[in-house]
């Protein structure tokens, strides 16, 4: 018996009541973005209809209230990931923006010609391209940690790749394509013993398991609010204070300065040093409602329920002839990727959509991984706690119907 009352939870997500192409929505694209609970929508609406003001600058009532709420979210994030200091939590525009900030600023300060950056073969393009760009600028090199046929990082190869030139290991916690949850704690320990820093891309893990940055001992963690029931346009970069203090600002502008003269500008302290310009105020404030919501449900309850659902979906999907799973790690979480023999994933996705079932098809921003598995695209169903066995059954029925039509 699950500790979650999923029928009640579903009432909190208005979009689950909508229809698509005349059919009740079966939303299985949670790895792309999650639906929003009413508490988040209400907080956005309240802010935009009553509380609009800029933060940090004004002394009027609304600006002070906005600033307080804006900083309360930072404390909520600090507690949620168990950061030691609240100023170790930096607001960004999303995971992609956070990695660009990190690659540029860390790279500027710590990367030299001949240095190496280790990335796994299963990285999202967001955790590849920014590192390639800074590597090119600095004369450093991106080196790839291989993935085996099951979709796991080969730890023996990882150990061999660690050498004194490796300044950064940037690795995805849970793969958006394979679902593999990597042994980041062990990888971090090995990297630190080698003198390397580690960044964890938590875009796909943050909503599905408890993350404790002090327990992991990661140097950096990045994630997006929109993948954990919060608004778009907001992400988090967590970094250890001593590293963030050493790193130069990424962007210049308002809020990140201490004093500006035309001769020389001095910079603000953390976190403001990395937060130039007017931030996503309504989004930040509403994000606290999302964090409070998942904490009330309990991350362990979420983890257990979702794993049960994924196991059911996997066994049902395997019953369909011609299905090949992409990613069969024992550590899978939330994501079920597959190809159906003789059918292009886009055709399958289109026919599922006609039946109200929303999945994602394509390369999922992991082209090197597609190449590793000898495909150019696959279909992906991704689950969360408001999904049910009935959703899985609808997916399976829709695939069978599409198969009849296409084959
Ligand atoms: N990394 C991973 C593993 C992801 O799944 C995603 C989103 N698909 C990203 C990075 C990029 O996130 P965003 O588009 O929110 O910046």
């Amino acid at each position: 018996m699950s500790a979650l009352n999923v029928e009640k939870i579903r009432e909190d997500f208005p979009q689950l009541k909508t229809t698509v192409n005349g059919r009740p929505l079966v939303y299985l694209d949670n790895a792309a973005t999650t639906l929003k609970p009413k508490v988040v929508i209400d907080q956005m609406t309240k802010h935009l209809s009553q509380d609009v003001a800029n933060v940090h600058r004004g002394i009027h009532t609304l600006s002070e209230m906005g600033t307080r709420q804006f900083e309360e979210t930072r404390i909520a994030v600090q507690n949620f990931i168990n950061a030691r200091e609240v100023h170790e939590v930096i607001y960004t525009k999303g995971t992609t923006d956070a990695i660009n900030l990190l690659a540029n600023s860390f790279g500027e300060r710590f990367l030299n010609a001949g240095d190496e950056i280790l990335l796994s073969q299963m990285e999202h393009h967001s955790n590849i391209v920014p590192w390639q760009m800074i590597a090119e600028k600095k004369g450093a090199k991106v080196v790839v940690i291989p993935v085996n046929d099951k979709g796991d990082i080969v730890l023996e190869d990882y150990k061999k790749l660690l050498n004194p030139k490796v300044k950064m290991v940037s690795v995805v916690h849970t793969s958006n394509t394979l679902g593999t949850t990597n042994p980041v704690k062990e990888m971090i320990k090995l990297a630190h013993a080698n003198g390397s820093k580690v960044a964890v891309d938590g875009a796909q893990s943050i909503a599905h398991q408890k993350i404790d940055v002090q327990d992991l001992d990661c140097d950096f963690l990045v994630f997006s609010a929109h993948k954990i029931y919060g608004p778009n346009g907001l992400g988090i970069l967590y970094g250890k204070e001593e590293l963030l203090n050493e790193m130069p600002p990424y962007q210049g502008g308002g809020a990140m300065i201490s004093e500006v003269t035309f001769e020389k500008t001095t910079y603000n302290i953390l976190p403001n040093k990395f937060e130039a310009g007017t931030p996503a105020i309504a989004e930040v404030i509403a994000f606290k409602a999302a964090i409070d919501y998942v904490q009330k449900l309990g991350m362990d309850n979420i983890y257990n329920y979702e794993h049960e659902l994924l196991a059911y979906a996997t066994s049902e999907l395997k019953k369909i002839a011609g299905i090949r799973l992409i990613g069969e790690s024992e550590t899978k979480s939330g994501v079920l990727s597959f190809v159906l023999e003789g059918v292009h994933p886009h055709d399958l996705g289109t026919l599922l959509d006609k039946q109200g079932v929303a999945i994602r098809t394509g390369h999922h921003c992991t082209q090197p991984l597609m190449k590793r598995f000898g495909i150019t695209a696959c279909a992906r169903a991704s689950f969360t706690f408001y999904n049910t066995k009935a959703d899985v059954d609808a997916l399976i029925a829709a695939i069978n119907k599409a198969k009849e039509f296409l084959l």
Side-chain angles (χ1 to χ4, degrees), residues 17-59:
K17 294 197 179 73
T18 58
T19 55
V20 169
N21 295 321
R23 309 289 284 271
L25 172 64
V26 176
Y27 188 77
L28 297 176
D29 197 15
N30 295 288
T33 199
T34 54
L35 306 182
K36 314 305 168 198
K38 200 162 173 305
V39 281
V40 170
I41 301 163
D42 287 350
Q43 185 55 257
M44 284 285 281
T45 307
K46 178 178 180 303
H47 181 86
L48 294 176
S49 52
Q50 297 173 28
D51 300 341
V52 167
N54 211 331
V55 289
H56 296 319
R57 267 149 251 172
I59 51 142

Side-chain angles (χ1 to χ4, degrees), residues 31-32 93-99 122-127 172-177 201-204 222-227 234 364-366 380:
K93 288 187 285 184
T95 302
T96 305
D97 189 43
I99 299 174
M122 67 173 86
E123 297 310 316
H124 188 281
H125 297 165
S126 293
N127 198 26
V172 72
H173 195 185
T174 297
S175 159
N176 62 310
T177 303
D201 174 355
Q204 292 297 339
V222 294
F223 61 91
S224 300
H226 74 92
K227 290 187 198 275
L234 172 64
H364 313 288
C365 297
T366 52
R380 178 187 73 189

Side-chain angles (χ1 to χ4, degrees), residues 79-94:
N79 293 332
F80 187 55
I81 61 173
N82 193 30
R84 203 157 47 88
E85 305 289 345
V86 70
H87 50 257
E88 293 179 318
V89 174
I90 313 286
Y91 294 134
T92 67
K93 288 187 285 184

Side-chain angles (χ1 to χ4, degrees), residues 116-171:
E116 294 181 2
I117 303 152
L118 287 193
L119 308 175
S120 86
Q121 211 171 7
M122 67 173 86
E123 297 310 316
H124 188 281
H125 297 165
S126 293
N127 198 26
I128 300 175
V129 185
W131 294 112
Q132 286 175 324
M133 290 163 79
I134 192 71
E136 192 169 343
K137 209 169 139 195
K138 292 294 216 155
K141 201 166 97 182
V142 166
V143 179
V144 182
I145 315 162
V147 166
N148 66 18
D149 289 345
K150 275 176 83 177
D152 287 310
I153 277 179
V154 184
L155 276 180
E156 284 315 306
D157 290 345
Y158 170 62
K159 285 179 199 163
K160 280 186 212 140
L161 289 172
L162 285 170
N163 75 78
K165 285 187 283 184
V166 176
K167 294 289 166 359
M168 168 61 79
V169 177
S170 192
V171 67

